[in-house]
Amino acid sequence: MIEQSANGVRFYEFTADQKGAVSNFFEKNGDASLLVQINPVKIKTSESDSEGKLSFGFFYNSSAKSDEYLKVPVVTDSLQKYDGASFALAFCFSRDKGVPSGFFINTRSKIKIESAQILRAFVGHDFSGSLPVFAFAPNGGFNTGNDDFSGASQAFNSINSRETLMPTVRIKFSENSGTQKIAFGGEVFSIRRTDSLTEIPAAALKIPFSQVTYPDEAEKPEILFLMASDLNLLTFTNGKKNVLTPIKVDPGLIIKWSRNNWRGTDYELFEWDRFPGVLFFDISTYDVQDDFFRRLAFFVEKAGYKGRLLTDSELKGKHAYNAHDYKAADLARFFEKAGTENFPLNEKELLLKEILVKNGLLKINYDGGIEAGEGAVISISQESSIDLRTTFVAHEGWHGIFFIDEDFRNTVASIYYTIDSRTLAYLRRYFQVTPSLNYDVNDDYLMKNEFMAYMIQRPVSATAGYFVELAKRPHSQELAKNEADYIIQTNGSGFESASALLDEYVNDRWNLNAGRVWLISR
């Protein structure tokens, strides 16, 4: 950089090579920030505020001009509070103004610029290390220690689409800080288990570019950044640009995720941030969801159909499920059989296969054969109500963990084998005679899996009442009367006991609860 001074203002102009490198970075990523590490001389407490004041901004002319700093947004800070210790300020480029010619520092105090580097855009703070970092949107502002994302739309995209990505919020509270609340534009989020980094994609927020507040005087996080998203999220299939790369999220954010911020049209793809390889499909309608998963549902779970690939004409008029879950091994069996038999799969099933291969749930051998990788698939639909989506995310989420965690499966089995036999008899009968389920009750793995999910798809306090209500319905009274009457007589106590045992396990292990597979609530 070329350093110049005018009227006490230091101008740092990029060289031609630096300007070219910065321009290439900005063009490639679509955003950028300049991070400057500053080492101030210790400010005496007797000095005036003006003597300890610092302003940091960009200039855009080909050469530094002494009066330009009066005409552009700046970041302003007070050096006294650092007591001679180093700190860092970051300033986002404005997408409208493009790449600056350099930056300036305006202060009467003695300082040393330790370093300056170009990074992806970010706004917020980081107090976790020895060097405090404060990052600002293109509109600048005074460093009061508060976080304001209001001007960040000048640095980031405002929607998710096939061409653009919104930023993501990265948060870390101090260790063992318990549940914390944080609000974006007044929308309050509760975050559990806050000893590690948590990400909330801005696409999940109602008002992402707004002030950040802390309700109930909640603790301020060590790290809070609104930062650029991974450009790999704009990885699509050829031609139709179908989404292949999932957004890593806490499942609690999927429930109310707006379809307006989908990258695709028919579906959005997510991955559970705590359980790698567990994919969530959020699909526009039940019909589109059927195109993806109905044939698979009959192949994997439906009594009388398991292991068969039904033709489109055989599937016509048949109901699968309103939400789905499948482990990698069953997905591999389905696609291997289709390949071996040269069975004509539909467009969405072929897309599903491509997504599964891309994300490691399926592996294609040198001879074209298919083997299971790691993970599981979960699907819900936008056509379901919010209440149903909440229950489905919980129910299907537990299946996802069951598929990938052996200790959880073993714990479920121990409770399954010790539950009151007459209570279990009703559940098995209900699974068997309910047309929308039609589970193969002779499939031991399936029965344990569904038993577990029904026990903890709702809070423990709601479990007994839910099953008593099921038992009273005409469907149960007509097709499973003896078993149903026992549930009514015992007030569903057997189910409540099983739910409580599983709730205790998942809480101890993952800080989850019956009815809640998420750490972020709103």
Side-chain angles (χ1 to χ4, degrees):
M1 289 183 292
I2 303 169
E3 182 178 350
Q4 302 178 46
S5 296
N7 297 329
V9 183
R10 300 183 188 185
F11 292 87
Y12 299 88
E13 185 172 1
F14 299 137
T15 65
D17 288 345
Q18 288 172 335
K19 183 71 177 286
V22 174
S23 296
N24 289 338
F25 183 96
F26 186 73
E27 182 177 351
K28 175 184 176 181
N29 295 292
D31 58 73
S33 281
L34 175 66
L35 177 71
V36 177
Q37 182 177 339
I38 300 169
N39 183 9
V41 174
K42 187 173 181 180
I43 306 298
K44 296 179 181 179
T45 56
S46 60
E47 292 189 45
S48 66
D49 290 341
S50 62
E51 289 177 316
K53 184 179 177 182
L54 177 145
S55 294
F56 162 41
F58 298 118
F59 61 89
Y60 293 86
N61 294 316
S62 58
S63 62
K65 289 192 175 181
S66 61
D67 62 347
E68 188 169 359
Y69 71 94
L70 299 173
K71 304 173 184 178
V72 295
V74 296
V75 173
T76 304
D77 208 344
S78 175
L79 297 176
Q80 281 99 333
K81 65 186 178 187
Y82 299 106
D83 196 27
S86 295
F87 64 99
L89 295 177
F91 204 177
C92 289
F93 290 11
S94 169
R95 290 188 299 156
D96 293 335
K97 292 183 179 180
V99 177
S101 297
F103 67 96
F104 64 85
I105 300 288
N106 180 15
T107 183
R108 295 184 184 182
S109 300
K110 293 181 180 180
I111 62 168
K112 180 181 179 182
I113 304 299
E114 299 283 0
S115 64
Q117 59 184 127
I118 299 296
L119 303 169
R120 296 292 305 277
F122 66 110
V123 180
H125 72 262
D126 183 353
F127 304 149
S128 64
S130 58
L131 183 76
V133 178
F134 302 91
F136 291 82
N139 61 333
F142 189 79
N143 186 10
T144 62
N146 296 321
D147 298 293
D148 188 353
F149 298 162
S150 300
S153 59
Q154 299 174 36
F156 299 106
N157 293 304
S158 298
I159 60 170
N160 268 9
S161 70
R162 287 186 174 91
E163 289 78 31
T164 61
L165 286 174
M166 297 179 71
T168 188
V169 180
R170 180 170 290 179
I171 308 167
K172 183 182 185 298
F173 288 90
S174 60
E175 293 184 9
N176 303 316
S177 57
T179 298
Q180 293 292 330
K181 291 183 179 180
I182 185 169
F184 304 94
E187 184 184 15
V188 179
F189 290 77
S190 294
I191 303 176
R192 297 171 174 84
R193 194 189 58 86
T194 53
D195 58 337
S196 63
L197 279 168
T198 298
E199 287 200 18
I200 300 179
L205 307 177
K206 291 180 180 178
I207 312 175
F209 304 120
S210 59
Q211 287 192 339
V212 182
T213 56
Y214 303 93
D216 304 330
E217 298 182 353
E219 175 188 341
K220 194 169 185 175
E222 291 183 347
I223 300 173
L224 177 67
F225 281 144
L226 181 67
M227 56 193 303
S229 294
D230 184 351
L231 292 177
N232 288 323
L233 293 175
L234 294 178
T235 301
F236 305 100
T237 58
N238 292 326
K240 294 190 177 182
K241 286 194 171 182
N242 293 303
V243 174
L244 288 178
T245 304
I247 301 171
K248 293 185 178 183
V249 295
D250 179 274
L253 298 174
I254 298 173
I255 298 168
K256 295 183 179 179
W257 193 289
S258 173
R259 188 174 170 184
N260 293 332
N261 280 327
W262 282 8
R263 294 167 294 165
T265 303
D266 290 337
Y267 69 97
E268 183 57 281
L269 182 64
F270 303 96
E271 181 178 16
W272 201 333
D273 55 358
R274 297 182 71 193
F275 298 100
V278 178
L279 303 182
F280 280 82
F281 283 74
D282 193 4
I283 299 181
S284 56
T285 67
Y286 290 141
D287 285 344
V288 174
Q289 186 172 234
D290 277 349
D291 287 343
F292 273 104
F293 296 110
R294 181 167 57 168
R295 198 183 332 265
L296 184 59
F298 280 84
F299 177 85
V300 174
E301 294 182 352
K302 296 284 189 177
Y305 302 98
K306 287 176 61 176
R308 287 182 52 201
L309 295 172
L310 301 186
T311 64
D312 291 345
S313 60
E314 289 176 309
L315 285 173
K316 190 174 182 180
K318 288 183 171 62
H319 176 73
Y321 307 116
N322 291 341
H324 295 259
D325 59 271
Y326 304 100
K327 62 183 177 181
D330 287 335
L331 295 164
R333 287 194 302 111
F334 175 82
F335 286 106
E336 172 66 10
K337 187 174 181 66
T340 301
E341 298 181 359
N342 200 26
F343 187 91
L345 298 175
N346 66 36
E347 181 179 328
K348 287 294 190 288
E349 289 166 330
L350 294 174
L351 171 58
L352 174 62
K353 178 183 176 182
E354 186 173 2
I355 292 170
L356 298 176
V357 171
K358 168 70 176 177
N359 291 284
L361 279 77
L362 297 181
K363 299 177 182 179
I364 299 180
N365 297 328
Y366 68 94
D367 61 356
I370 295 176
E371 291 184 358
E374 300 292 333
V377 162
I378 291 165
S379 173
I380 60 173
S381 171
Q382 290 270 316
E383 199 167 337
S384 299
S385 67
I386 289 296
D387 286 345
L388 275 177
R389 283 169 64 84
T390 301
T391 300
F392 287 157
V393 167
H395 181 105
E396 306 301 340
W398 293 123
H399 284 317
I401 300 176
F402 185 90
F403 288 141
I404 66 171
D405 193 278
E406 183 178 6
D407 188 75
F408 186 39
R409 293 195 296 271
N410 291 338
T411 299
V412 169
S414 67
I415 296 172
Y416 180 84
Y417 288 127
T418 56
I419 190 175
D420 172 14
S421 61
R422 294 185 65 183
T423 295
L424 186 59
Y426 168 72
L427 189 63
R428 290 171 58 86
R429 182 65 176 159
Y430 178 80
F431 287 161
Q432 185 178 38
V433 301
T434 303
S436 61
L437 300 178
N438 191 27
Y439 291 143
D440 179 2
V441 295
N442 295 314
D443 185 332
D444 190 58
Y445 183 98
L446 176 63
M447 286 299 95
K448 292 172 185 173
N449 195 2
E450 292 300 336
F451 157 78
M452 172 277 303
Y454 274 82
M455 291 307 99
I456 49 177
Q457 67 181 0
R458 290 176 171 81
V460 174
S461 60
T463 299
Y466 169 76
F467 281 102
V468 170
E469 177 61 28
L470 280 186
K472 290 180 178 178
R473 290 179 183 177
H475 175 73
S476 290
Q477 288 296 308
E478 291 172 9
L479 300 176
K481 181 172 176 55
N482 289 337
E483 295 89 343
D485 285 347
Y486 179 76
I487 301 304
I488 297 170
Q489 292 165 10
T490 59
N491 201 30
S493 59
F495 290 127
E496 184 173 34
S497 297
S499 178
L501 289 171
L502 285 168
D503 177 76
E504 181 179 4
Y505 173 88
V506 299
N507 183 258
D508 288 344
R509 181 125 186 248
W510 296 299
N511 194 17
L512 303 177
N513 285 108
R516 179 181 62 80
V517 297
W518 46 85
L519 296 177
I520 302 178
S521 305
R522 60 178 170 183

